[in-house]
Structure formats: C-alpha cells, structure tokens
Amino acid sequence: IMQLTESGGGSVQAGGSLRLSCEASGYTKSSYCMGWFRQVAGKEREGVASIDTDGSITYAESVKGRFIITKDNAKNNLYLQMNDLKPEDTAMYYCAADRNICWPYVPDFYYQGQGTQVVVSD
C-alpha cells in the first residue's frame, strides 16, 4: 500500500508561484505513473499533469507552459511547480499514483492523497 501526502498549497496573488510536494510512503518499490489532478467543489476533477514510468510527461492544455511536474525517482516523491498562477487555478490539488494506467486517467488513479488547497486571488 502506498500513502501520498501533499503539501505546499496556500494563497497567492495572480501571477505568483507555488510549489506543491507529494511525499510517497509505504510500498513504493513498484513503478508508478504519478500525477496531479485538481477539483473545485461541485465540479469534475481535472487532470493537471502526469509523469509516466518512462519519464514521459503530459500536461493539461490549461496549465501547459506554466506548470512543471518533476519526480524524485529514488523516493517516488512528486512535485508541481506552478508559475503565473491564475484565479481559475484555484482548487484542491491532489497527488495520485497508479501502476497500470496513466494520462488522461489521473483523477481515477488507485492511490490518491488528501489534497492541498490552492487559492489564487486577483
């Protein structure tokens, strides 16, 4: 069993930056596709980015060029550098991992964290 714990959320003004971290614990020896998704209350979950076991990276169009996903392969820790944040990026951000599927199924990944809140104000 893998546990995922996010951190790094907070409040920031539009144009600012935040770096989210996801610490993986438990059984992390298998190879996982890992990613981030976000959700606004009352709306569907949205995949943000993923990084597959071969290192290939995919971003949602809405964040492409602004967000950067990276991974510490030794620890299976995951990061999301968010730059030029916009009010529409406001959401709860979740880290997720799965051994069998990858993008665009990030919101359906088997292992998910509890989330970290990001608020972007005008």
Side-chain angles (χ1 to χ4, degrees):
I1 296 178
M2 170 188 273
Q3 293 85 38
L4 301 170
T5 304
E6 304 94 337
S7 61
S11 296
V12 64
Q13 288 192 324
S17 298
L18 284 173
R19 184 174 187 254
L20 305 184
S21 297
C22 172
E23 180 179 350
S25 60
Y27 186 77
T28 62
K29 294 184 178 180
S30 294
S31 296
Y32 296 87
C33 177
M34 298 187 74
W36 296 91
F37 69 93
R38 63 189 181 186
Q39 187 170 27
V40 177
K43 296 188 177 181
E44 289 192 2
R45 295 170 296 175
E46 175 190 21
V48 174
S50 69
I51 183 164
D52 208 339
T53 54
D54 63 359
S56 58
I57 290 173
T58 306
Y59 295 101
E61 285 297 321
S62 58
V63 307
K64 199 173 289 186
R66 300 187 297 121
F67 290 11
I68 301 170
I69 186 172
T70 56
K71 181 182 174 186
D72 178 337
N73 286 317
K75 300 179 180 179
N76 269 341
N77 287 356
L78 192 69
Y79 307 94
L80 185 68
Q81 178 66 42
M82 305 188 295
N83 301 319
D84 189 23
L85 282 160
K86 303 177 180 181
E88 51 264 41
D89 294 318
T90 295
M92 186 72 80
Y93 283 73
Y94 298 87
C95 173
D98 199 290
R99 285 184 287 183
N100 299 308
I101 56 175
C102 203
W103 189 270
Y105 305 107
V106 182
D108 301 317
F109 281 9
Y110 186 80
Y111 297 105
Q112 300 185 1
Q114 294 300 307
T116 185
Q117 181 70 47
V118 171
V119 177
V120 184
S121 57
D122 283 326

